Amino acid sequence: MSEVITNENASATGAQSTLQAATDALNLLSFIETSSTTTTYGIPKYTTWVRVLEDVDDWDQTVVESYGRPGLKLRAGDILKVEERLPQNDFWVGSNGKDVGLFPIDPRLAPVVYSKVIGLYDNTDLEEGDVPFRAGQVMDVISMPSNWWVRVSFDDRISSKNGKQRLEGTVPFTLTEPVPPEGMSDNPKPECDPDAIDKHPRWENVPEFDVRVLCTYKAQSEREVDLETNDIVVVTKVWASVWYYGSTNGRFGRVSTNHVSKNLTMSTRPPYHRYYVRAMWDRTPGVPGQLDIILNEVIEVIWINSNGWWEGRSRDGKRQGLFPASYVRRVADAPNMDGR
């Protein structure tokens, strides 16, 4: 009897495996039939249009030389036709009806998106809130939280093992292309819409405030700045709560709000314009972002943090970083305090 039961179980297992394989095949076929609109992934099938929201004429000559193409001088209201997507996704090539040249992927421009986008590449390099997708995946557009990011939802039929799963999140527009409106074979050229430009977010000058870098970040374009954990960014402009513009360690550029603290409630400026401490011990941490200190060295304090780690710089200004407050003591605000 046990042998018969075993054979029956084996037969049932085999049938389930066959059924699962057939289901997976049907899911894949359905995915291909309903989602794939490009014959070669990475090569756009449809025309992409981009609106110019602010004047663009501040070209860095080194950028132009590195790409070997002229930079377009654009005016708010221009409509660009994308001619080529460059691999780095910092700049694309487009035409404004008169000239053909480079234009930047930045908040001064916005792609025209309708109700759906389709993936041109696999999206696997994810940040918090992003969703993965395969090349060829058609996604419903919910909103555009910023110019070059799209909030989407779609049925994921490939990565899910239990049929389809509805996913929702943000995706970079540069990995997708807009699907034409229903009944059209291609995306139509949009009309110049002054109201859309006026209502669109722009860089706003704000009173200076400081944010702290939460994680190390390598700039993805020449308009961004490299960031190191615990760096302080002095913000002077804000774009729709998505980007900050400011300076850190002598470098100026834009910073994603995802990479910095919302406020500095855990940090304060020193109580005096010049606040100095003297090192009571040597300390050579050998860790990026931390300050090497020497016995009796005088350090200017920049930030006082409630966690016991302060930020300061050497008197000659050549070294800057974090150090433990327990290694120093307060000294008078007097010049020429070499102390060695």
Side-chain angles (χ1 to χ4, degrees):
M1 179 65 70
S2 61
E3 182 177 351
V4 173
I5 293 175
T6 301
N7 289 340
E8 288 178 350
N9 289 342
S11 298
T13 301
Q16 290 175 354
S17 298
T18 302
L19 179 60
Q20 184 62 52
T23 301
D24 291 344
L26 287 173
N27 286 339
L28 178 60
L29 179 61
S30 175
F31 174 81
I32 294 172
E33 289 177 345
T34 59
S35 298
S36 179
T37 61
T38 54
T39 54
T40 303
Y41 294 139
I43 300 179
K45 179 179 180 180
Y46 304 118
T47 302
T48 296
W49 301 94
V50 176
R51 293 185 186 276
V52 180
L53 305 174
E54 297 185 33
D55 294 350
V56 179
D57 53 14
D58 55 344
W59 283 100
D60 185 339
Q61 191 61 30
T62 58
V63 172
V64 174
E65 292 174 356
S66 64
Y67 283 94
R69 301 168 185 263
L72 285 175
K73 291 186 176 180
L74 305 175
R75 293 294 175 264
D78 285 354
I79 303 295
L80 305 183
K81 179 182 179 182
V82 176
E83 303 289 349
E84 183 181 354
R85 297 177 175 223
L86 301 180
Q88 293 83 357
N89 274 334
D90 292 340
F91 299 89
W92 284 355
V93 178
S95 60
N96 58 9
K98 298 179 181 179
D99 304 308
V100 176
L102 295 171
F103 67 87
I105 306 300
D106 81 1
R108 293 176 294 179
L109 295 88
V112 178
V113 177
Y114 299 97
S115 61
K116 298 179 185 292
V117 293
I118 183 170
L120 292 177
Y121 310 90
D122 293 342
N123 182 36
T124 56
D125 186 14
L126 304 178
E127 296 184 5
E128 183 178 355
D130 297 355
V131 290
F133 60 83
R134 302 285 185 91
Q137 175 73 60
V138 172
M139 296 165 274
D140 295 322
V141 175
I142 300 174
S143 64
M144 293 190 70
S146 64
N147 291 16
W148 295 93
W149 287 86
V150 188
R151 186 162 188 82
V152 299
S153 66
F154 59 94
D155 291 333
D156 178 21
R157 296 183 176 90
I158 297 301
S159 61
S160 175
K161 296 182 179 179
N162 301 315
K164 64 182 181 180
Q165 177 184 8
R166 192 70 177 175
L167 299 180
E168 180 177 324
T170 55
V171 300
F173 175 80
T174 53
L175 301 184
T176 71
E177 67 171 334
V179 175
E182 187 174 355
M184 295 188 176
S185 60
D186 198 3
N187 291 308
K189 180 179 180 179
E191 298 295 328
C192 178
D193 184 358
D195 289 337
I197 295 173
D198 290 340
K199 294 176 182 177
H200 205 281
R202 300 192 182 196
W203 286 106
E204 296 182 10
N205 293 318
V206 296
E208 285 190 5
F209 65 93
D210 303 311
V211 292
R212 182 174 296 278
V213 177
L214 301 176
C215 57
T216 299
Y217 174 75
K218 181 68 175 177
Q220 302 298 304
S221 75
E222 295 191 5
R223 296 185 183 279
E224 297 181 359
V225 290
D226 292 339
L227 303 173
E228 295 291 339
T229 303
N230 286 321
D231 276 356
I232 299 299
V233 181
V234 180
V235 178
T236 57
K237 296 181 182 180
V238 175
W239 189 90
S241 299
V242 176
W243 292 97
Y244 292 149
Y245 181 87
S247 62
T248 177
N249 296 327
R251 304 184 304 273
F252 290 81
R254 69 188 189 197
V255 176
S256 169
T257 56
N258 291 331
H259 298 138
V260 296
S261 63
K262 301 302 180 186
N263 55 61
L264 283 175
T265 55
M266 299 299 291
S267 306
T268 59
R269 291 288 191 185
Y272 307 101
H273 178 61
R274 289 286 186 268
Y275 190 88
Y276 297 102
V277 294
R278 190 184 302 280
M280 295 186 293
W281 296 280
D282 291 329
R283 187 172 188 274
T284 309
V287 177
Q290 294 189 21
L291 179 68
D292 293 354
I293 57 179
I294 305 168
L295 176 64
N296 284 325
E297 176 184 17
V298 172
I299 301 166
E300 181 182 355
V301 178
I302 303 171
W303 281 98
I304 295 176
N305 304 320
S306 60
N307 63 2
W309 284 81
W310 293 0
E311 183 172 355
R313 56 174 164 246
S314 60
R315 296 295 306 283
D316 59 12
K318 295 181 179 179
R319 293 177 292 118
Q320 180 171 323
L322 297 171
F323 60 90
S326 58
Y327 273 65
V328 300
R329 62 180 174 83
R330 173 89 162 85
V331 296
D333 301 303
N336 302 318
M337 296 183 300
D338 293 332
R340 301 188 209 174

